[in-house]
Amino acid sequence: MRTISCNQIVETVAKLCMDANYFLDDEVLEAFKRSLEQEESPTGRDVLKQLIENARIAALEQVPMCQDTGVAVIFLELGQDVRVTGGDLYDAVNEGVRKGYQEGYLRKSMVKDPFDRVNTGDNTPAIIHTTIVPGDQLKVTVAPKGGGSENMSALAMLSPSAGVEGVKQFVVETVRKAGPNPCPPIVVGVGIGGNFETAALIAKKALLRPLGQANPKPEYAKMESELLERIQNLGIGPQGFGGRVTALAVHVETMPCHIASLPVAVNIQCHASRHKTAIL
């Protein structure tokens, strides 16, 4: 049994919160550059250039790339041979979020009650998803999720008779309704199967996949390509000013489901596709 202290977890989560908000992954920047070659609209091309410059400045000065530094969504993969010492695992994660958002001068976005709207002042509580896995390591992924794109996400409990085309129509229609609101070019996470809550969870996990890495199953890789093409044809374009590039990628994840159900969730990520991972 390997031990990992709560102090290690606090420091790791705090650093990931800051890094995720300051440093856009190279793969996203490369996607911006490829989009410049594809975008036909002069305004859209100008927007993409500004996004690249914005990311450069954020990394150089270590300031948030977006004013909405998001809900702190934390994915934990906890090895079954790990013992956490010095406190409670979830308390340590929340303390890391508290420390990261305070020391990193990141905007605190959480409110104590959906209707009182009183800010918690430290961006806690984090949204924590834990998976128990073999081994003696703890993998921590911090994915700050902004409100603008999250608000444009959607879930439907379709009838199985809706089939593949019904799923595709729901995904494209969700992006069409979102329009400029989620700050395109977006990344579209699609979760198909499971039940009401797991469809949404795998849609969010789909956003963690390296940008543009296709689903390993050919039929779903083909679905991703077709959905991306249909979304680009909507003409929403960068920041909604019109153009060819509305999305950088579509990632589809699936899981088994009930014979009477066909759940599908669409989780939209804005152009600031942020997540950082560390392994303890």
Side-chain angles (χ1 to χ4, degrees):
M1 182 69 71
R2 178 165 170 258
T3 60
I4 297 175
S5 73
C6 280
N7 286 339
Q8 286 178 275
I9 297 168
V10 170
E11 295 302 322
T12 298
V13 170
K15 185 175 188 305
L16 291 174
C17 287
M18 290 185 271
D19 286 354
N21 277 290
Y22 299 161
F23 307 113
L24 200 58
D25 284 349
D26 289 343
E27 65 199 33
V28 181
L29 287 169
E30 288 302 315
F32 286 163
K33 293 172 183 174
R34 287 196 302 274
S35 298
L36 266 174
E37 300 170 1
Q38 301 163 3
E39 182 52 64
E40 299 156 358
S41 158
T43 304
R45 288 177 54 81
D46 187 53
V47 167
L48 289 167
K49 290 176 184 175
Q50 290 184 42
L51 295 181
I52 294 170
E53 178 65 5
N54 182 65
R56 187 191 70 80
I57 293 171
L60 179 66
E61 300 186 7
Q62 298 195 16
V63 294
M65 66 189 79
C66 176
Q67 80 282 357
D68 187 350
T69 54
V71 170
V73 182
I74 315 289
F75 292 92
L76 301 176
E77 291 185 14
L78 178 63
Q80 62 187 5
D81 297 323
V82 170
R83 177 170 174 264
V84 175
T85 61
D88 178 85
L89 171 60
Y90 288 176
D91 287 346
V93 169
N94 277 309
E95 182 56 29
V97 170
R98 188 175 293 113
K99 180 180 173 68
Y101 274 73
Q102 183 65 34
E103 294 182 1
Y105 299 100
L106 307 176
R107 193 185 80 179
K108 291 79 178 174
S109 302
M110 295 297 284
V111 296
K112 296 177 181 176
D113 184 280
F115 295 106
D116 291 347
R117 314 304 291 182
V118 176
N119 199 298
T120 64
D122 57 13
N123 220 45
T124 67
I127 306 292
I128 305 173
H129 304 290
T130 306
T131 305
I132 306 298
V133 299
D136 60 358
Q137 295 180 325
L138 173 62
K139 182 178 179 181
V140 183
T141 298
V142 173
K145 192 68 171 65
S149 60
E150 191 78 346
N151 290 350
M152 297 297 104
S153 302
L155 183 144
M157 300 300 291
L158 300 179
S159 164
S161 62
V164 173
E165 184 55 32
V167 168
K168 291 176 183 174
Q169 289 179 9
F170 176 72
V171 173
V172 175
E173 182 63 11
T174 298
V175 174
R176 189 194 66 77
K177 287 180 179 176
N181 296 309
C183 294
I186 56 177
V187 181
V188 183
V190 181
I192 306 170
N195 63 359
F196 185 84
E197 70 269 20
T198 54
L201 180 57
I202 62 174
K204 181 146 291 177
K205 282 186 174 180
L207 300 175
L208 305 180
R209 194 196 304 166
L211 198 62
Q213 181 184 86
N215 188 296
K217 293 185 176 179
E219 64 270 31
Y220 293 122
K222 182 180 177 183
M223 179 187 289
E224 291 173 343
S225 297
E226 184 180 340
L227 283 170
L228 181 60
E229 180 68 19
R230 289 168 67 165
I231 287 169
Q232 306 299 46
N233 288 340
L234 292 172
I236 296 169
Q239 292 294 309
F241 289 117
R244 177 67 182 162
V245 182
T246 298
L248 299 174
V250 178
H251 293 169
V252 172
E253 296 291 337
T254 65
M255 63 186 303
C257 64
H258 192 281
I259 54 174
S261 299
L262 180 53
V264 54
V266 180
N267 196 209
I268 295 178
Q269 172 65 58
C270 70
H271 66 271
S273 182
R274 301 167 292 191
H275 49 85
K276 296 294 180 187
T277 297
I279 297 177
L280 299 176

